[in-house]
Each structure stands twice: as C-alpha cells, then as structure tokens.
Amino acid sequence: DLCAIYECDVINGEFINFRPIGVLLDGECTASMPSVGLYKGVEYLFYTSNRSGTRGDLDIWWSERRNGEWQAPVNAGDNINTSGKELSPFFMDEQLYFSSDAHRSLGGLDILRSEGYPRSFDLPENLGTPINSSYNDLYYSYSKVNNEAYFASNRPENKDELSCCNDLFH
C-alpha cells in the first residue's frame, strides 16, 4: 500500500483541485505523515518516506517551498534517521519532534526532540516520561496558543487493558 501527500486550493472556504505533491515521490515509495513548519519565514514540509536514499525502514525527509513550488526532498540526515523507523515529524521554533524505534528508547516508538533547522539537526534527546512509555508514542504536536502538547499512544489506560489502538493524550 503506497501513500502520497496531496495539496489543494481553498476557494471561499471550499477545498478544491486536489493533487499529489509529485516531487515527494520517487518510484514505488510511500510519502506520509506530513507536517508543515516555518523557518525564517520559509515553509518546509516534513514527512516520512521510504524513498530512494532512505537509511532504514522509514526516514524523515523535508522539502522547501520556493516560489509556490515544493523543491526536491532532502533526507533529514544521520543525526535524525537510523536503520529503524523514524516517523510523525513536527517542526516548530527550530525544534524537530519525531518518533523512532531505533534511538535510545523506553520501548516501542518514543518521541524525540532535535534542536536545529533543515540541513542541520543536532542529535535528538528522548522526551522521557510521562510523554514516552514502553508502548508506541508518536504524532507529537504543540499548541503555543494553549501551551499544550498532544500525542498519540497505544498505552493502556489501566493495567488490566490490552494495548491495541492509539489514543490521544495531552
């Protein structure tokens, strides 16, 4: 199952003219989990892909928007990507948040934060507990307006439950 990222136009509050962002795709690859962030007033699209040049199962890639067009994707680099899975990127205020199963982990996928900007990310740090658990923790986002963080996890609500599906936490 291949995934593609689409964009569209918004006219009078209506979404129209859906089209894939073709530059993100490279043959038979997947492009998913998009997140748009700003750096020095420029839009960057961060996403997860297994396109050619990926270091592991899935890597974080980014594309800069120039003159209204998304540019050729760039791999987020060795400090971010490993031989495992890196996914669900979120970039804000020169910090890239993402999940990984190959960086130092409490188990499963953990949420990490790396300081930097496109082309230069530091080694990431694990956000630790209570954000991360021994289950899968991913899709981190932060709202400055509410000063609240949100993420998904398949951790059980209580110890008697099975862990199957993601729930939203904040």
Side-chain angles (χ1 to χ4, degrees):
D1 294 350
L2 299 178
C3 296
I5 298 171
Y6 284 72
E7 63 183 339
C8 69
D9 301 314
V10 180
I11 308 288
N12 297 325
E14 189 176 334
F15 298 98
I16 61 170
N17 301 328
F18 288 87
R19 59 203 173 273
I21 304 175
V23 71
L24 305 182
L25 299 172
D26 178 21
E28 295 291 315
C29 72
T30 289
S32 65
M33 303 179 188
S35 176
V36 175
L38 293 175
Y39 176 67
K40 295 189 175 184
V42 176
E43 278 184 300
Y44 288 87
L45 173 65
F46 291 85
Y47 71 103
T48 298
S49 183
N50 61 349
R51 64 180 286 128
S52 177
T54 295
R55 291 158 168 77
D57 289 343
L58 293 167
D59 278 4
I60 305 294
W61 292 78
W62 58 265
S63 174
E64 179 183 351
R65 189 172 188 108
R66 248 187 270 143
N67 300 319
E69 298 291 326
W70 294 109
Q71 303 303 302
V74 177
N75 188 287
D78 289 338
N79 284 349
I80 302 300
N81 294 311
T82 67
S83 61
K85 292 179 186 148
E86 280 70 44
L87 39 94
S88 67
F90 175 76
F91 181 78
M92 185 177 79
D93 297 336
E94 297 183 29
Q95 296 183 66
L96 177 65
Y97 296 87
F98 64 99
S99 292
S100 175
D101 66 357
H103 286 278
R104 190 176 66 88
S105 170
L106 300 177
L109 293 162
D110 275 9
I111 299 169
L112 299 109
R113 175 182 55 222
S114 176
E115 301 279 335
Y117 50 90
R119 296 200 196 286
S120 181
F121 288 109
D122 293 340
L123 287 171
E125 65 175 314
N126 188 304
L127 294 186
T129 61
I131 300 292
N132 289 314
S133 67
S134 61
Y135 295 88
N136 291 324
D137 306 297
L138 62 166
Y139 294 109
Y140 181 90
S141 68
Y142 178 78
S143 169
K144 281 185 180 180
V145 173
N146 300 330
N147 192 32
E148 293 179 326
Y150 299 87
F151 65 97
S153 179
N154 67 340
R155 67 184 75 177
E157 288 288 333
N158 67 58
K159 294 185 185 343
D160 297 331
E161 293 179 8
L162 295 176
S163 169
C164 78
C165 306
N166 288 326
D167 290 314
L168 185 63
F169 291 82
H170 87 283

